[in-house]
Amino acid sequence: MQIIDSHIVKLSAYIKRLLTLFITLASPTLFAHGVAEGDKGYIQEIYGVHVIPFIYLGAKHMVTGYDHLLFLVGIIFFLYRMKDIGLYVSLFALGHSITMLVGVYYNISINAYIIDAIIGFSIVYKALDNLGAYQRWFGFQPNTKVATLIFGLIHGFGLAVKIQEYEVPSDGLLANLISFNIGVELGQFMALCIIMLLMTFWRKTSYFFKTAYQSNVFLMFLGFLLVGYQLTGFITQ
């Protein structure tokens, strides 16, 4: 077990260095994670209902959506029972499904950098929550379920902004949006399975409780970094 813990410590430190280097070197444009030109061109050329392509695009966006995944990690970090994980992930999914569909269908426009900065802040919020900061600082614990739903709504507007960049034709819009949302949920489920698998292995080692605090501090650091990059992009756009 000590040998395994030693390898995990080295692997964790290496991953942290790679993530920090990647985020430091990346440009604000990357952190807006805009729509790929190939995907955008394809969507602009099609009309009518296209279920499979939009499911694929939704799953792709969620799996590559580092901000959504970081928040998801924060949500389940200290959740052990499947019932609790299912509840919180469902609240998050419900929130981002509502605002994604409403935002695109009614063409509610929000600056991509601003909404992504708020999404970055949601990661900071959750990391602080995991650290018990609100009880120490303010003497009370915010309702975690309500917070998860609210931030889910905000993440949904982030998804809506990305879909609006596709300039989806109005013909078949609702069916395509529903397909995209199905893809998002499938992508989230796949990502969640991988995250839970890794965290289950991590929790079985003594290293988990020794580094839970540092891990959430690092998660908070990444959230602040995302906020900074998005605000930089907003100022320099």
Short mmCIF file of all heavy atoms in Angstrom, two decimals, residues 38 78 99 120 155-156 190 208 211 220:
data_model
loop_
_atom_site.label_atom_id
_atom_site.label_comp_id
_atom_site.label_asym_id
_atom_site.label_seq_id
_atom_site.Cartn_x
_atom_site.Cartn_y
_atom_site.Cartn_z
N GLY A 38 -14.70 23.74 -37.99
CA GLY A 38 -15.28 22.64 -38.77
C GLY A 38 -16.70 22.34 -38.35
O GLY A 38 -17.59 22.14 -39.18
N PHE A 78 -16.72 14.90 -1.99
CA PHE A 78 -16.97 14.28 -0.69
C PHE A 78 -18.30 13.53 -0.65
O PHE A 78 -18.84 13.28 0.43
CB PHE A 78 -16.93 15.33 0.42
CG PHE A 78 -15.55 15.81 0.76
CD1 PHE A 78 -15.23 17.15 0.68
CD2 PHE A 78 -14.56 14.92 1.15
CE1 PHE A 78 -13.95 17.60 0.99
CE2 PHE A 78 -13.29 15.35 1.47
CZ PHE A 78 -12.98 16.69 1.39
N THR A 99 -31.64 26.32 -18.78
CA THR A 99 -31.13 27.58 -19.34
C THR A 99 -30.50 27.40 -20.72
O THR A 99 -30.51 28.33 -21.52
CB THR A 99 -30.11 28.22 -18.39
OG1 THR A 99 -29.18 27.21 -17.94
CG2 THR A 99 -30.79 28.83 -17.18
N GLY A 120 -16.24 29.90 -13.94
CA GLY A 120 -14.98 29.71 -13.23
C GLY A 120 -15.14 29.98 -11.74
O GLY A 120 -14.59 29.26 -10.90
N HIS A 155 -24.23 27.46 -15.72
CA HIS A 155 -23.49 26.63 -16.68
C HIS A 155 -24.31 26.43 -17.95
O HIS A 155 -23.77 26.34 -19.05
CB HIS A 155 -23.15 25.27 -16.06
CG HIS A 155 -21.95 25.31 -15.17
ND1 HIS A 155 -20.76 24.65 -15.47
CD2 HIS A 155 -21.74 25.92 -13.98
CE1 HIS A 155 -19.89 24.85 -14.50
NE2 HIS A 155 -20.46 25.62 -13.58
N GLY A 156 -25.64 26.35 -17.79
CA GLY A 156 -26.51 26.19 -18.95
C GLY A 156 -26.45 27.37 -19.88
O GLY A 156 -26.47 27.22 -21.11
N MET A 190 -20.60 9.91 -19.15
CA MET A 190 -19.33 9.25 -19.44
C MET A 190 -18.20 9.85 -18.61
O MET A 190 -17.37 9.13 -18.05
CB MET A 190 -19.01 9.37 -20.93
CG MET A 190 -19.91 8.54 -21.82
SD MET A 190 -19.40 8.55 -23.57
CE MET A 190 -19.78 10.26 -24.01
N PHE A 208 -5.73 9.90 0.11
CA PHE A 208 -6.89 10.76 -0.16
C PHE A 208 -7.11 11.78 0.94
O PHE A 208 -7.17 12.98 0.69
CB PHE A 208 -8.15 9.91 -0.34
CG PHE A 208 -9.40 10.73 -0.56
CD1 PHE A 208 -9.62 11.38 -1.76
CD2 PHE A 208 -10.34 10.85 0.45
CE1 PHE A 208 -10.76 12.15 -1.95
CE2 PHE A 208 -11.49 11.60 0.26
CZ PHE A 208 -11.69 12.26 -0.94
N THR A 211 -4.47 14.49 1.34
CA THR A 211 -4.34 15.52 0.30
C THR A 211 -5.68 16.15 -0.10
O THR A 211 -5.71 16.93 -1.06
CB THR A 211 -3.70 14.91 -0.97
OG1 THR A 211 -4.52 13.83 -1.44
CG2 THR A 211 -2.29 14.41 -0.68
N MET A 220 -9.58 25.30 -6.34
CA MET A 220 -9.91 26.71 -6.20
C MET A 220 -8.95 27.56 -7.03
O MET A 220 -9.37 28.53 -7.69
CB MET A 220 -9.85 27.13 -4.73
CG MET A 220 -10.14 28.60 -4.48
SD MET A 220 -10.15 29.00 -2.71
CE MET A 220 -8.47 28.57 -2.25
#
